[in-house]
Amino acid sequence: MANFTKDDLAFTGYSQKIDLANNPEHIEILDGMYIDKTEEIEVIHFCNQFLEKYKVPQTRASFQKVESFLQHTALENEVYKAQLQDWIASNWIK
């Protein structure tokens, strides 16, 4: 999986409630069906997973492109990871 971090995010102001170092049980949240698009670690994990799954360039620009798609108004109320991935993949080149 791609290994971009919080230093690679384009946006700021994410929540940092999840602390994987002190609570490994949070891994279940990252691998669940839903994403909290306000939680920094979930956004990072989602973006890295997308880059791996769809075999798009493993660059910081691609990572930030996925992140910006998560903020798209068409996806404002979408929380299902599969739906988000499908929409981003279909709109990647547009």
Side-chain angles (χ1 to χ4, degrees):
M1 181 163 68
N3 197 25
F4 292 98
T5 67
K6 66 180 181 178
D7 296 328
D8 299 304
L9 291 169
F11 298 97
T12 59
Y14 290 109
S15 171
Q16 297 179 354
K17 294 178 187 171
I18 298 176
D19 181 4
L20 295 178
N22 293 323
N23 193 348
E25 292 174 5
H26 285 301
I27 293 292
E28 293 174 15
I29 293 171
L30 298 181
D31 291 333
M33 292 176 46
Y34 309 101
I35 181 174
D36 177 350
K37 294 183 275 185
T38 65
E39 183 61 42
E40 183 176 87
I41 193 69
E42 289 193 49
V43 170
I44 294 167
H45 188 73
F46 178 88
C47 293
N48 282 323
Q49 276 187 324
F50 182 90
L51 294 181
E52 183 68 24
K53 180 177 180 178
Y54 288 93
K55 306 294 185 209
V56 296
Q58 303 280 308
T59 63
R60 186 174 190 222
S62 292
F63 177 83
Q64 291 177 344
K65 185 174 182 176
V66 176
E67 179 191 10
S68 64
F69 272 133
L70 283 176
Q71 306 300 325
H72 194 284
T73 55
L75 302 175
E76 186 176 347
N77 296 314
E78 185 60 65
V79 294
Y80 288 100
K81 290 180 181 178
Q83 298 288 357
L84 290 164
Q85 288 174 344
D86 289 346
W87 190 92
I88 293 169
S90 351
N91 289 279
W92 188 261
I93 299 176
K94 294 180 183 177

